[in-house]
Amino acid sequence: MKIMTFGASNTKNSINKALARFTATLVPGAEVEVLDLSDYDLPIFSKDLEKEIGQHPTAKAFFEKIGAADGVIVSFAKHNGSYTTAYKNLFDWASRIDQKVFQDKPTVYLSTSPGPSGAASVLASAKGSAQFFGVDLKAAVAVPSFYDVFDAETGLINEPNALADLTAAAETLAPREAA
């Protein structure tokens, strides 16, 4: 089973990318591919630019990565209570290829921040619109106070409740055996 994962941020040492990567390791038997949104730099989307250049190849590459995966884990970073510009722009370009950007792939949504909300506002926004973008949302988990629950040296979540929530979310992506 191939799990494609990314943090919805272009920050070099994104805590959301670290959370997504860690959670992907909890999917039993998964082959994990971690994307870095810094590799998907695009001009700001506009209908005028799209009319001029068509579908951007970088957006196509991102869309194809989702299509090639068996499941997706994305962890949303929060900028002023909403999506980061890097993610929103990439998403806007990809949605012009097909509005169902996530292509009905089983998906886990995560979010985290250094503070006590765990970026819950952006996670709520993502959950609210998931049905419109081809997301087969299996679970959603906000992890508050990231630096208090994550061990940077080992790359592991060390707080039992957060670990239990993330493990349960990851297991929703595991293949089910036929009865």
Side-chain angles (χ1 to χ4, degrees):
M1 161 167 245
K2 183 174 183 181
I3 299 295
M4 192 272 292
T5 187
F6 63 95
S9 167
N10 62 348
T11 300
K12 182 178 174 121
N13 294 314
S14 167
I15 61 176
N16 280 280
K17 185 165 88 172
L19 179 63
R21 179 188 308 115
F22 170 75
T23 304
T25 68
L26 300 174
V27 178
E31 171 191 333
V32 177
E33 179 177 9
V34 181
L35 301 185
D36 186 331
L37 287 198
S38 296
D39 296 334
Y40 295 87
D41 193 27
L42 292 157
I44 298 295
F45 175 81
S46 75
K47 287 183 180 182
D48 294 336
L49 183 57
E50 180 188 39
K51 187 176 183 178
E52 180 183 324
I53 68 170
Q55 295 175 341
H56 200 286
T58 300
K60 286 181 185 178
F62 177 75
F63 187 83
E64 289 169 3
K65 288 284 188 181
I66 292 174
D70 297 311
V72 179
I73 298 174
V74 55
S75 186
F76 293 97
K78 166 181 74 109
H79 286 184
N80 297 316
S82 190
Y83 302 109
T84 65
T85 303
Y87 173 74
K88 181 68 168 81
N89 190 48
L90 175 57
F91 184 83
D92 287 346
W93 277 105
S95 72
R96 301 296 286 189
I97 296 166
D98 185 329
Q99 182 175 338
K100 298 205 177 286
V101 174
F102 284 83
Q103 304 167 56
D104 298 316
K105 300 294 180 174
T107 301
V108 169
Y109 278 174
L110 308 170
S111 66
T112 193
S113 69
S117 77
S121 60
V122 71
L123 184 61
S125 180
K127 286 170 45 180
S129 64
Q131 65 181 342
F132 304 110
F133 301 110
V135 178
D136 178 9
L137 189 60
K138 297 299 187 186
V141 178
V143 177
S145 305
F146 183 76
Y147 295 110
D148 294 338
V149 303
F150 184 76
D151 183 332
E153 286 186 30
T154 64
L156 303 175
I157 295 290
N158 57 27
E159 197 280 319
N161 292 326
L163 180 58
D165 290 346
L166 293 169
T167 300
E171 288 175 350
T172 66
L173 297 179
R176 303 286 179 235
E177 291 188 28

